[in-house]
Amino acid sequence: MIAAQAKLVYHLNKYYNEKCQARKAAIAKTIREVCKVVSDVLKEVEVQEPRFISSLNEMDNRYEGLEVISPTEFEVVLYLNQMGVFNFVDDGSLPGCAVLKLSDGRKRSMSLWVEFITASGYLSARKIRSRFQTLVAQAVDKCSYRDVVKMVADTSEVKLRIRDRYVVQITPAFKCTGIWPRSAAHWPLPHIPWPGPNRVAEVKAEGFNLLSKECHSLAGKQSSAESDAWSDAWVLQFAEAENRLQMGGCRKKCLSILKTLRDRHLELPGQPLNNYHMKTLVSYECEKHPRESDWDESCLGDRLNGILLQLISCLQCRRCPHYFLPNLDLFQGKPHSALENAAKQTWRLAREILTNPKSLEKL
């Protein structure tokens, strides 16, 4: 048994050193290329409208606010200034979203974003995005990369297609530090010793982001009056908190292997799976295996196996709860047939890796 485990770990490490590192290097090269174009567009936006200041800065070889969705798809979060005159309200009526309401007694005119405040006193995510989209469209025509970049049409999101190969979504956002959403108040679970009080304090201090993007939990509510009130809502995002939780042991290596397997074998019709599903399942695996020794390099095979089996279970149940916001289903809106197909493919992959670790050389 131990020999079999050691063999699996050996092949996983080999896979990581060859395939995962090659993927990382290729993505890093793409990011540099893409960020040059995006920075140029955002510089033009800033000239037209100084409230939209580019926050796309490189630090320690990574760009703050950039998320890799797949090797050809990226999201850049553009942090806006001054949220201070608003109260953050997440009453759970729309999973994964919150609203920003003008604080009692605060004058509208005190806000930098005065013209985007609705009659009811909410700061409209949709209105800000719509204005930003117009500015980006103008900037694309003026920037020095105009021959290789164009706006993606038919969406309220701000998306650029670069060199006909890459898609970058640029999302206006507010950074919320020092507060924690009520909808995530159950975390951490009291009976689980992970991640420990110090890490919890760090994660909560890190806070979260509020993104201006289409809210998936609105699906099916578009016709109701409720959807009008919520079209101004902001989407909660915990990227930095999640990254902080997954530090230490073989967690990052495990995630890297999962992302590589996804890119190579689970890029399927209907796009049932993305990197974020993998990241979410690593967090759940950390809860199931709370001891640091469970994340020792020698346990890499067990952890990977556990996550793949959990992924199959989620796909079969057609539900993958967000780690911090369990009422939010990350599979919402995905076609059932796509989830079923992904479950079969993941099962094939897991069986192959477990029964014949050497097969990783071909995967």
Side-chain angles (χ1 to χ4, degrees), residues 6-232:
K7 189 178 170 192
L8 177 54
V9 170
Y10 166 79
H11 283 289
L12 284 171
N13 275 317
K14 196 166 177 242
Y15 187 82
Y16 176 77
N17 292 329
E18 290 168 10
K19 311 269 171 57
C20 300
Q21 295 291 26
R23 173 189 180 274
K24 275 185 184 174
I27 287 175
K29 187 168 176 268
T30 302
I31 286 172
R32 275 194 295 278
E33 189 181 330
V34 156
C35 284
K36 263 189 212 146
V37 180
V38 174
S39 295
D40 205 56
V41 170
L42 291 176
K43 228 181 272 153
E44 282 294 335
V45 168
E46 206 178 310
V47 170
Q48 300 170 60
E49 171 54 273
R51 286 180 298 182
F52 290 105
I53 300 167
S54 173
S55 51
L56 187 62
N57 303 316
E58 193 178 359
M59 275 163 65
D60 306 328
N61 284 334
R62 60 184 289 263
Y63 285 88
E64 194 197 1
L66 183 129
E67 290 288 310
V68 178
I69 293 159
S70 79
T72 57
E73 228 182 319
F74 305 89
E75 182 171 19
V76 169
V77 172
L78 182 84
Y79 293 110
L80 306 173
N81 279 330
Q82 199 243 28
M83 192 188 84
V85 298
F86 297 96
N87 283 330
F88 166 77
V89 184
D90 69 325
D91 57 6
S93 57
L94 193 71
C97 296
V99 290
L100 290 171
K101 191 163 179 27
L102 209 54
S103 311
D104 293 338
R106 294 279 195 163
K107 291 193 183 73
R108 263 163 215 274
S109 58
M110 287 173 69
S111 170
L112 187 62
W113 307 99
V114 60
E115 71 271 40
F116 304 110
I117 300 171
T118 65
S120 344
Y122 293 107
L123 181 63
S124 170
R126 186 175 41 98
K127 286 181 177 176
I128 285 186
R129 187 167 72 249
S130 170
R131 170 81 178 124
F132 182 58
Q133 191 175 41
T134 306
L135 292 166
V136 171
Q138 290 164 3
V140 163
D141 290 338
K142 290 181 182 170
C143 78
S144 47
Y145 290 96
R146 55 186 168 276
D147 299 337
V148 298
V149 60
K150 53 177 181 282
M151 292 283 283
V152 175
D154 306 325
T155 171
S156 85
E157 309 284 19
V158 181
K159 287 188 178 182
L160 302 177
R161 181 167 274 110
I162 298 173
R163 299 188 206 285
D164 281 327
R165 265 207 306 270
Y166 311 115
V167 173
V168 183
Q169 179 165 332
I170 311 175
T171 306
F174 288 110
K175 207 182 211 11
C176 306
T177 47
I179 58 170
W180 192 248
R182 191 158 53 152
S183 45
H186 68 284
W187 183 87
L189 298 173
H191 57 283
I192 289 175
W194 182 82
N198 293 349
R199 184 62 59 91
V200 169
E202 278 174 25
V203 165
K204 288 194 170 180
E206 189 72 61
F208 56 96
N209 295 324
L210 289 175
L211 307 185
S212 168
K213 62 195 291 186
E214 285 173 9
C215 188
H216 292 301
S217 35
L218 272 176
K221 291 187 180 175
Q222 288 315 101
S223 57
S224 67
E226 189 181 1
S227 81
D228 295 338
W230 280 104
S231 63
D232 299 320

Side-chain angles (χ1 to χ4, degrees), residues 272-273 277 314-315 318-320 329-334 339:
L273 290 175
H277 294 119
C314 287
L315 287 163
R318 298 175 189 152
R319 182 169 165 73
C320 179
D329 176 17
L330 299 178
F331 285 158
Q332 180 156 0
K334 301 280 182 194
L339 295 173

Side-chain angles (χ1 to χ4, degrees), residues 308-321:
L308 287 173
L309 292 177
Q310 184 60 54
L311 175 58
I312 294 162
S313 168
C314 287
L315 287 163
Q316 286 173 337
C317 300
R318 298 175 189 152
R319 182 169 165 73
C320 179

